[in-house]
Amino acid sequence: MTHHLPPAPTDQYVALPDARLVTTRALLAARENLADTIAARAMTCIHGGAGFGKTIAVTSCLRELEPDQDIRRITFHTRPTLRTVRQELFTALELPGRPPRYAGEFDHLLKNELAARPRTLVLDEAQWLSGDQLEYVRYIWDDPYTRVAIVFVGGEGCHQTLRKEPMLSSRIFIWQRITRLTPEEVLDVILLYHPIWADADPHDITFADNHAAHGNFRNWARLTAHTHTALERTGRTRVDREVLRWAFSRLGSTG
């Protein structure tokens, strides 16, 4: 598993030709927040519901902000042990040899490595971390010699999980909650997201959002893929409600 930022083509939720990364208000805010966090070598938390675009915002902005810098990403899929967190850091930092057996030796090695040069660590799905593990991250960051910025990224529950740890939460430099696209944003950004929406009737875009996408960018990605398929199979050149209803049927939505 690579612990570097993924390549730009993987930013899209589904492989869809001509899909573009669009600049939302949340992405603009994330770009500014991440730049300020990195400059301060601080900790920040970017959180929100599933499919709202947290990970894409963070990875695309970091890729742009620090093209020549050392950024490592760790994604937690289940609740890890503290030993696992140490080992994930060891692997992400590409340290040679075998991980140390004893905690004190392990911590000394990690802190020395993180003091050697500026780093940015992205801890994705941070809601899986327990209090002890979050305290360990704070302990590493708090060392006066380490030179690391830490970006916590997480879904529902991440904000509450970090807030439960006073010593950590009091050190969070910036909190950013990413929410659904507003109806106004949908009309602004979906037109730019993919060419099939460029000449669509705005009322049909609103119809699609109300019945299937609900301001969720992951939903919009799936809907766009199915709508694109419907246009190709029917030979139609413009989105209409019949095409949309066929796409809704694949998403388990009705219109």
Side-chain angles (χ1 to χ4, degrees), residues 207-214 216 219-220 222-223 226 241-255:
F207 175 78
D209 193 55
N210 289 339
H211 289 277
H214 310 296
N216 182 305
N219 289 346
W220 268 109
R222 295 187 298 146
L223 176 62
H226 292 312
R241 296 206 178 186
E242 186 176 354
V243 165
L244 287 174
R245 287 190 174 94
W246 181 86
F248 293 170
S249 72
R250 285 192 153 193
L251 297 171
S253 305
T254 58

Side-chain angles (χ1 to χ4, degrees), residues 13-232:
Y13 173 64
V14 290
L16 181 62
D18 302 319
R20 294 184 287 262
L21 180 69
V22 290
T23 303
T24 62
R25 286 198 292 266
L27 189 141
L28 288 172
R31 183 179 298 157
E32 183 175 276
N33 292 339
L34 289 166
D36 292 345
T37 298
I38 291 166
R41 289 291 146 194
M43 292 192 288
T44 195
C45 176
I46 296 179
H47 62 99
F52 290 179
K54 304 175 298 295
T55 300
I56 287 178
V58 170
T59 55
S60 62
C61 290
L62 286 176
R63 203 182 290 121
E64 175 185 329
L65 289 170
E66 286 202 312
D68 301 317
Q69 302 277 337
D70 197 344
I71 306 170
R72 306 299 171 102
R73 186 179 74 161
I74 300 171
T75 302
F76 300 100
H77 296 292
T78 56
R79 196 168 297 282
T81 64
L82 187 51
R83 173 75 182 180
T84 300
V85 173
R86 288 187 175 99
Q87 289 178 324
E88 287 284 358
L89 287 168
F90 182 92
T91 304
L93 295 170
E94 298 177 325
L95 295 174
R98 297 173 62 85
R101 291 182 58 189
Y102 302 106
E105 182 185 359
F106 213 150
D107 295 348
H108 181 72
L109 176 67
L110 291 174
K111 288 194 289 186
N112 279 350
E113 181 65 22
L114 291 171
R117 61 183 183 275
R119 309 275 192 135
T120 298
L121 292 177
V122 180
L123 304 182
D124 203 0
E125 302 295 349
Q127 69 271 11
W128 287 106
L129 295 172
S130 69
D132 286 347
Q133 292 142 21
L134 289 169
E135 172 59 18
Y136 182 73
V137 173
R138 182 206 63 78
Y139 161 74
I140 291 291
W141 177 85
D142 241 2
D143 186 280
Y145 298 103
T146 57
R147 304 160 68 191
V148 59
I150 295 176
V151 181
F152 294 100
V153 183
E156 296 294 350
C158 180
H159 178 266
Q160 296 92 321
T161 297
L162 269 63
R163 282 291 191 190
K164 287 179 182 176
E165 306 303 321
M167 292 183 69
L168 174 72
S169 64
S170 67
R171 288 164 169 79
I172 297 293
F173 190 51
I174 298 172
W175 298 88
Q176 181 183 351
R177 180 171 178 253
I178 294 185
T179 60
R180 298 178 186 274
L181 297 172
T182 66
E184 294 75 23
E185 279 186 291
V186 167
L187 290 175
D188 286 340
V189 305
I190 296 304
L191 293 173
L192 303 174
Y193 171 56
H194 195 276
I196 67 169
W197 304 113
D199 62 349
D201 186 322
H203 292 96
D204 287 340
I205 293 177
T206 298
F207 175 78
D209 193 55
N210 289 339
H211 289 277
H214 310 296
N216 182 305
F217 225 111
R218 188 175 297 162
N219 289 346
W220 268 109
R222 295 187 298 146
L223 176 62
T224 301
H226 292 312
T227 304
H228 184 265
T229 298
L231 292 174
E232 286 189 330

